[in-house]
Amino acid sequence: MFLASKLLSFLTQPIAWAILLLFAGLLTLRRRRKTGLAFCWLALLLLLFTGWEGPVDKALHRLESQHPTISPEASLKQYVGVVVLGGALGGSSLWERPGQIALNNQAERMVVPIALMQRNPHLKLVFTGGEGNLSWAKYTEADRAKIFFDMMGVDPARVLYESASRTTYDNAVMTAILPGIDPKQPWLLLTTAAHMPRSMGVFVKAGWNVTPYPVDFRSGQEPDWGGYSMMLGVEKWHYVLHETIGYVAYWLAGRI
């Protein structure tokens, strides 16, 4: 399943499809010039389209709005803790310098839990994340999370770490068997908003009593139809396709 998820991650990148179309065009250009040129033009048009932010913002907003947000001022007394999914930390090699931390563009997954714990002293924090890359890493994501939370002054007695998971399914199953964790109690599930539909489906299927706490929103209430950015467009389309196809794959596998 882990290798399949990595293949999925590659195939849900618009640039990967553009490369495949371009490659197909170059292969057929000599024997079938018109067909080869058509593939090349399709590759160019695909790249140009992915930079238009309006359509992808619309698709992203649909993903992000499937679960309601919770007000930062809302009472959280009924919850025993917050489960934080990994994904917001830079690669292991970036953490090998003493005192160095590295967050990526999903940093809200790490920052928001600290604020929640400060306002709600009864909450526990459970961070779940092993190593999501194929290559060996000196520090798992849970190791890096511990460095971060310790540096931020979070009480170590209030934090548990799960360091073996490599997929969202692993997060749900492996965290449930941690010592001191009762998934039947009410927990908050904190992850990126677009990732929440798949995460909630997996955790509920695994027997968790979780309430979504989405963060890291990447679309506004209205699409930016006039916005254009090749970098942001490609990144957003990759995220939309990855989560949509990932949800379907998990559903077909009976994990949602």
Side-chain angles (χ1 to χ4, degrees):
M1 190 68 182
F2 174 67
L3 292 177
S5 70
K6 289 303 168 185
L7 177 61
L8 174 67
S9 182
F10 172 75
L11 292 178
T12 53
Q13 298 183 65
I15 290 181
W17 286 100
I19 290 173
L20 291 174
L21 285 170
L22 183 59
F23 186 65
L26 293 174
L27 285 178
T28 56
L29 198 56
R30 286 188 178 181
R31 296 183 178 181
R32 297 184 180 181
R33 182 174 176 78
K34 289 185 178 180
T35 302
L37 286 174
F39 278 130
C40 292
W41 275 108
L42 281 173
L44 177 60
L45 291 173
L46 176 61
L47 284 176
L48 291 174
F49 175 76
T50 56
W52 185 21
E53 295 185 64
V56 71
D57 279 350
K58 187 74 173 179
L60 193 54
H61 181 67
R62 287 180 180 176
L63 271 178
E64 294 181 337
S65 59
Q66 289 188 28
H67 293 283
T69 58
I70 297 177
S71 169
E73 306 304 322
S75 173
L76 302 178
K77 291 182 180 179
Q78 69 270 39
Y79 301 103
V80 297
V82 52
V83 179
V84 178
L85 302 192
L89 302 170
S92 175
S93 62
L94 300 177
W95 292 73
E96 294 178 13
R97 296 182 181 89
Q100 171 68 20
I101 61 174
L103 305 181
N104 59 31
N105 62 356
Q106 301 178 79
E108 291 91 334
R109 295 194 195 190
M110 303 300 293
V111 177
V112 173
I114 297 176
L116 292 179
M117 295 181 74
Q118 288 174 342
R119 290 195 297 268
N120 302 273
H122 69 286
L123 286 180
K124 302 176 185 177
L125 189 154
V126 182
F127 181 92
T128 171
E131 183 48 53
N133 293 322
L134 293 172
S135 57
W136 176 85
K138 181 177 180 180
Y139 297 116
T140 67
E141 195 164 16
D143 294 332
R144 288 171 256 160
K146 186 177 189 318
I147 294 172
F148 175 78
F149 287 128
D150 287 349
M151 189 175 291
M152 294 298 107
V154 177
D155 183 359
R158 296 175 63 191
V159 187
L160 291 174
Y161 299 93
E162 184 284 310
S163 61
S165 59
R166 307 184 80 179
T167 65
T168 305
Y169 174 77
D170 290 346
N171 291 149
V173 174
M174 294 181 176
T175 306
I177 59 176
L178 284 178
I181 296 297
D182 181 1
K184 299 297 183 183
Q185 291 184 302
W187 292 85
L188 293 170
L189 180 63
L190 190 148
T191 188
T192 298
H195 184 49
M196 189 60 78
R198 183 156 59 106
S199 301
M200 278 294 294
V202 170
F203 270 74
V204 171
K205 183 76 172 183
W208 282 85
N209 177 14
V210 284
T211 297
Y213 198 102
V215 297
D216 182 27
F217 288 82
R218 305 185 184 194
S219 68
Q221 293 296 325
E222 295 296 329
D224 183 9
W225 295 106
Y228 192 91
S229 170
M230 290 292 293
M231 181 178 70
L232 292 177
V234 167
E235 180 183 344
K236 289 178 181 179
W237 273 118
H238 171 50
Y239 212 76
V240 168
L241 292 171
H242 182 82
E243 288 304 325
T244 302
I245 297 175
Y247 186 96
V248 173
Y250 270 37
W251 178 76
L252 291 173
R255 294 183 170 182
I256 290 179

